[in-house]
Amino acid sequence: MPVVTWDHVHLRSPDPEATAAWLRDILGGEIVRAPGRIDVNLGGARIFIAPLEGDAVSPPPPHPHQGLDHFGLAVKDIDALAAEIKAKGVVFTREPTTIRPGVRICFIRGPEGISIELLERDKKYT
């Protein structure tokens, strides 16, 4: 079997600067600039943010749909984090809830309507 590791997630945005700022301000990402591009280091992964090119851009599909549904980020103290980002105006599509012993999740709406799951796992259940 091949050995693979994550390299990046690639997003397209009508405003890459605003998307990068949201990921920094809400989720604590680090903005990294290079000539002609903006990336965000977030939770050990790199997110490339590219501008939309031209007018032939499809709108996001309605939820649920086939393909990528969301990405998940592990957090500590999900309830405190949820309160903090809710105060910043973040929209929750699912409030923090326990889905099984030792696992609490919530879903938020990120830039361009992307779905982001935040989850907290109790180490004794992993």
Side-chain angles (χ1 to χ4, degrees):
M1 292 296 293
V3 176
V4 301
T5 59
W6 280 100
D7 185 79
H8 68 275
V9 173
H10 196 141
L11 302 178
R12 293 212 178 266
S13 172
D15 188 346
E17 290 287 338
T19 298
W22 191 95
L23 292 168
R24 178 197 60 212
D25 297 344
I26 301 301
L27 298 176
E30 174 193 2
I31 295 175
V32 179
R33 297 179 189 281
R37 64 180 298 142
I38 185 168
D39 303 335
V40 176
N41 290 331
L42 181 64
R46 172 122 349 156
I47 299 177
F48 296 168
I49 307 169
L52 298 177
E53 297 171 0
D55 295 329
V57 176
S58 299
H63 185 78
H65 60 278
Q66 289 183 325
L68 180 63
D69 181 73
H70 68 275
F71 63 87
L73 301 169
V75 301
K76 293 181 181 178
D77 197 352
I78 195 169
D79 295 303
L81 177 62
E84 179 184 330
I85 65 176
K86 189 175 280 188
K88 293 179 179 180
V90 172
V91 174
F92 283 70
T93 57
R94 184 172 186 183
E95 294 288 332
T97 186
T98 300
I99 59 167
R100 63 180 172 271
V103 181
R104 288 185 52 74
I105 67 167
C106 65
F107 283 85
I108 61 175
R109 186 169 296 125
E112 313 320 318
I114 61 173
S115 182
I116 301 170
E117 178 183 13
L118 304 177
L119 66 152
E120 179 180 16
R121 295 181 195 271
D122 186 320
K123 288 183 181 178
K124 68 182 179 183
Y125 291 99
T126 58

